[in-house]
Amino acid sequence: MSTVPFSLLFSLVLLSTPVSAQAPSAKPLFVEGQAQVVPAFASPGEWIREQLWVETEFDSDKNGKRDRVHVDVIRQKQTQTEGLRVPVVYESSPYFAGTSGNFDVNWDVRHELGAQPPARTAHPTVGFNANRKSISNSLVGTWVPRGFAVVHSEAPGTGLSEGSATVGGAPERLAPKAVIDWLNGRAKGYTTLDGSIEIQADWCTGKVGMTGTSYNGTIPVAAATTGVKGLEAIIPVAPNTSYYHYYRSNGLVRSPGGYLGEDIDSLYDFINSGDPARREAGDRLYRDGAFAQNQDRRTGDYNAFWAEHDLLPFTKNIKCAVLMAHAFNDWNVVPEHSVRISQAIKGRVPLVQYFHQGGHGGDPPLELMNKWFTRFLYGVQNGIEKGPKSYIVREREPGAPRPAPTPYDDYPNPAASPVTFFLSSGGKTAGGLTPVKPVKQSTEELTDDVSLTAATLVQAADSPNRLLYATPELTAPVHLSGTARVTVRLASSAAAANLSVYLVQLPWTTGPIGTENLITRGWADPQNAKSLTKGGDYHAMDRGTPLKPGEFVTLTFDLEPDDQIIPVGKRIGLMILSSDHDFTLWPKPGTKLTVDLDATRITLPLVGGADTFKRATGAR
């Protein structure tokens, strides 16, 4: 009869003892509603690091097998040695394995509107490393010492994940869902890409929070739209929630700020970092298939393809708590991406919105993020969801430190109400902008010239290439909170024209775009006037209609959401131009737009309404 060594017997007793009987010596600590750094969790050399592949429910590269996505886990040693179970902070991305880093992949914007654009021929190859042992160290130093495990995954078709990059397709919703299912014991994880040895997440409580910025912020929203059980809270920062809204505006081809000519197919090339042996399938199915057939850079119209790459229709499935973060001067992923989702879920789930006045990205303060994850992943009743529903970092003086966020009851500010402003003649220099409708007026004309930037045009004392209208100088601050809506009645000398509208502060302060000069802006295609009658989201499936030279059309559309306090000494200006050097296609100069002043107006959401504006300008 064989005997079992005492040391092994003792180990077996420990393994068979219920976890509840083996109380961990180190536990998460909470002070004033926030998870604190626990010294026993804070030694990186003691953390357990694992990598695995989670099997999904889809086959994005159509090879007959379900895709597996690459995952890494960083957790406290006590989850292995003492039975400690912890929640997860999870980030997913197509960027972890690297990108092409070559923005020559973008389209040439120098062509006439409605013309077939020059072919895009640059398709750079992203490097591939099959021997990577981990995905990322992002978030780890913040959350693991505070009692959370950190999980990363690579988006389908990137890094060591199988499948193809679909750039906003269904797999980008379902891949993080599979990882969350694995963390809850509902999906299978494997120790290798193609093996059969399973690995389980028995150390996880099943509660998951997601966060990330830009594309990495899009994926938490995408995961939430599946309604997956176990996803308790998300903190998306500058998420792209619609690829139409990212690459188009109201029927118009519009580039994201700083990436002129980028489109969904060039983004595919930028992130296509998966196994080179599998890339041909993705190129054929997506870049050279669905994208090439449906993205339509010739008209910019909305269609079923763009509808499939929009998260808004899926928001009815969101069940988790949402701390949404964005910047009002983010002209890469413009702020409507967050605001449209927040409006759709408001009142259904816990929601707090955080905004700042800077550019792309920018996390909420750690205190706010900590309280959010502590509340919804650990169940600590810190009241974060019962406090202010909005935090906004206010404008700052040049050279001054960034102010702390100001709390508000909600966004848009509940005290804001719409005030409509009308135009009075003189737009070649600076006409009037007033809440009192002038007596009947004539039309005014501008000539398109994309070589002139908006900043150049607004600073010109007199210009034939834009129309500018301004309020009197403010003697008291005016607070704008919400979404401005503009109605323009115009005629074009050509069958197609760009339309760009800027709301600005005058005098314009030279320097980077920001709260000292720009309030907000927007773009639209006059060919889509029939679909642009009420403003809001442009989701019409009809095709744009060529303009008849000299025939007037009326279009109404929203500018980008904002919350800004315009200071004393400034004037609020409305500038109308055609092509925008930094955002639109670049047709040859010469198209003339004639604007009907009597039928053109802009409605601004002002805190305190019309009375506040009157007091700030002495208007009657």
Side-chain angles (χ1 to χ4, degrees):
M1 180 177 178
S2 61
T3 59
V4 179
F6 177 79
S7 59
L8 177 58
L9 180 62
F10 182 72
S11 297
L12 291 172
V13 170
L14 282 177
L15 290 172
S16 63
T17 303
V19 168
S20 59
Q22 304 176 42
S25 60
K27 298 179 182 180
L29 174 66
F30 307 100
V31 176
E32 296 182 351
Q34 297 183 67
Q36 304 297 303
V37 171
V38 176
F41 298 162
S43 298
E46 296 183 344
W47 294 340
I48 295 168
R49 298 174 183 267
E50 303 167 295
Q51 69 169 340
L52 64 140
W53 283 261
V54 170
E55 186 172 271
T56 70
E57 60 190 84
F58 57 82
D59 174 17
S60 61
D61 57 3
K62 311 302 181 188
N63 67 350
K65 299 191 306 179
R66 290 182 175 182
D67 297 342
R68 292 183 181 184
V69 293
H70 186 213
V71 177
D72 77 5
V73 175
I74 302 95
R75 54 189 173 96
Q76 302 80 1
K77 73 172 184 178
Q78 291 82 1
T79 60
Q80 186 87 353
T81 61
E82 300 182 19
L84 178 69
R85 298 177 74 232
V86 295
V88 165
V89 175
Y90 169 31
E91 180 179 19
S92 183
S93 175
Y95 297 145
F96 286 140
T99 61
S100 70
N102 180 358
F103 289 99
D104 289 339
V105 300
N106 293 343
W107 290 82
D108 187 347
V109 299
R110 295 168 294 184
H111 62 85
E112 295 306 299
L113 305 183
Q116 194 65 34
R120 191 177 69 88
T121 57
H123 303 297
T125 299
V126 184
F128 180 73
N129 178 6
N131 298 314
R132 290 168 60 233
K133 302 301 182 185
S134 66
I135 295 178
S136 176
N137 283 315
S138 70
L139 307 176
V140 175
T142 298
W143 299 109
V144 174
R146 289 178 167 84
F148 302 82
V150 170
V151 169
H152 305 99
S153 72
E154 298 186 287
T158 70
L160 300 185
S161 287
E162 292 183 312
S164 299
T166 61
V167 194
E172 289 191 358
R173 301 195 302 273
L174 298 175
K177 175 184 180 296
V179 175
I180 295 166
D181 282 337
W182 172 73
L183 289 166
N184 281 272
R186 298 187 297 265
K188 292 183 177 182
Y190 297 92
T191 57
T192 59
L193 177 66
D194 52 6
S196 59
I197 300 174
E198 294 188 26
I199 182 171
Q200 296 179 336
D202 52 7
W203 48 266
C204 180
T205 63
K207 293 185 180 295
V208 181
M210 292 188 72
T211 190
T213 297
S214 195
Y215 213 137
N216 302 16
T218 301
I219 295 175
V221 182
T225 63
T226 69
V228 59
K229 187 176 180 180
L231 181 58
E232 304 294 334
I234 60 174
I235 307 177
V237 181
N240 173 356
T241 62
S242 164
Y243 278 89
Y244 187 85
H245 286 250
Y246 191 55
Y247 292 123
R248 309 286 185 268
S249 278
N250 301 305
L252 193 75
V253 175
R254 176 191 56 80
S255 302
Y259 303 99
L260 198 61
E262 185 185 315
D263 213 322
I264 193 167
D265 59 337
S266 51
L267 181 56
Y268 169 93
D269 279 336
F270 184 68
I271 66 172
N272 191 24
S273 62
D275 187 345
R278 296 190 176 97
R279 293 182 190 178
E280 183 280 330
D283 294 349
R284 172 173 44 83
L285 290 167
Y286 300 103
R287 186 193 69 193
D288 305 328
F291 297 174
Q293 294 163 17
N294 297 292
Q295 68 186 31
D296 187 9
R297 286 186 65 81
R298 193 176 63 80
T299 72
D301 289 339
Y302 193 74
N303 57 32
F305 167 79
W306 292 114
E308 293 169 357
H309 292 73
D310 190 338
L311 294 176
L312 187 65
F314 302 99
T315 54
K316 61 183 181 295
N317 301 320
I318 294 178
K319 299 179 176 65
C320 62
V322 179
L323 170 55
M324 189 71 80
H326 220 113
F328 287 124
N329 277 291
D330 185 347
W331 298 105
N332 176 358
V333 182
V334 291
E336 68 178 305
H337 284 274
S338 287
V339 171
R340 64 202 293 267
I341 300 298
S342 295
Q343 294 296 344
I345 64 175
K346 188 176 289 188
R348 294 197 296 106
V349 299
L351 170 68
V352 170
Q353 299 176 81
Y354 166 84
F355 299 98
H356 64 88
Q357 307 291 340
H360 189 52
D363 285 351
L366 179 58
E367 178 182 349
L368 189 56
M369 297 179 71
N370 191 331
K371 287 183 176 179
W372 201 253
F373 282 151
T374 296
R375 167 67 184 88
F376 294 105
L377 302 189
Y378 269 111
V380 174
Q381 298 294 328
N382 56 23
I384 187 63
E385 79 278 20
K386 298 176 182 178
K389 297 299 185 287
S390 173
Y391 293 87
I392 299 174
V393 178
R394 294 260 52 104
E395 303 78 4
R396 61 176 171 177
E397 296 294 329
R402 183 173 178 171
T406 299
Y408 292 94
D409 289 340
D410 205 350
Y411 177 82
N413 192 311
S417 58
V419 180
T420 299
F421 291 79
F422 303 92
L423 282 56
S424 60
S425 59
K428 289 188 183 299
T429 52
L433 188 64
T434 171
V436 178
K437 190 170 184 178
V439 295
K440 186 171 178 59
Q441 303 178 96
S442 59
T443 60
E444 295 192 333
E445 183 181 271
L446 66 92
T447 302
D448 187 23
D449 187 348
V450 74
S451 69
L452 302 172
T453 66
T456 298
L457 291 171
V458 74
Q459 294 178 85
D462 189 319
S463 174
N465 306 115
R466 56 92 177 124
L467 296 174
L468 180 63
Y469 306 91
T471 67
E473 183 177 308
L474 301 182
T475 58
V478 170
H479 185 178
L480 181 150
S481 180
T483 301
R485 179 167 293 179
V486 66
T487 295
V488 181
R489 185 169 186 264
L490 61 80
S492 171
S493 64
N498 292 317
L499 176 62
S500 307
V501 174
Y502 277 57
L503 193 67
V504 300
Q505 292 187 31
L506 298 175
W508 179 273
T509 301
T510 57
I513 293 291
T515 55
E516 285 109 23
N517 44 40
L518 179 69
I519 301 174
T520 185
R521 51 188 165 186
W523 306 263
D525 184 354
Q527 289 191 339
N528 293 87
K530 290 181 179 179
S531 304
L532 296 169
T533 57
K534 297 180 181 179
D537 265 356
Y538 164 70
H539 278 160
M541 293 290 188
D542 62 317
R543 309 294 288 177
T545 303
L547 302 171
K548 296 179 180 179
E551 183 175 297
F552 280 85
V553 296
T554 301
L555 54 161
T556 297
F557 59 97
D558 288 345
L559 308 186
E560 285 301 315
D562 196 20
D563 193 294
Q564 190 173 146
I565 297 174
I566 297 94
V568 171
K570 290 284 191 175
R571 303 166 70 196
I572 299 173
L574 174 67
M575 182 171 69
I576 302 172
L577 59 151
S578 184
S579 299
D580 189 328
H581 179 274
D582 296 330
F583 291 93
T584 68
L585 298 178
W586 288 14
K588 293 179 180 177
T591 296
K592 297 183 183 300
L593 296 184
T594 303
V595 176
D596 180 350
L597 299 188
D598 288 330
T600 298
R601 58 191 178 275
I602 186 167
T603 300
L604 305 181
L606 301 183
V607 174
D611 289 343
T612 295
F613 179 78
K614 290 176 182 178
R615 288 193 295 271
T617 59
R620 295 184 179 181

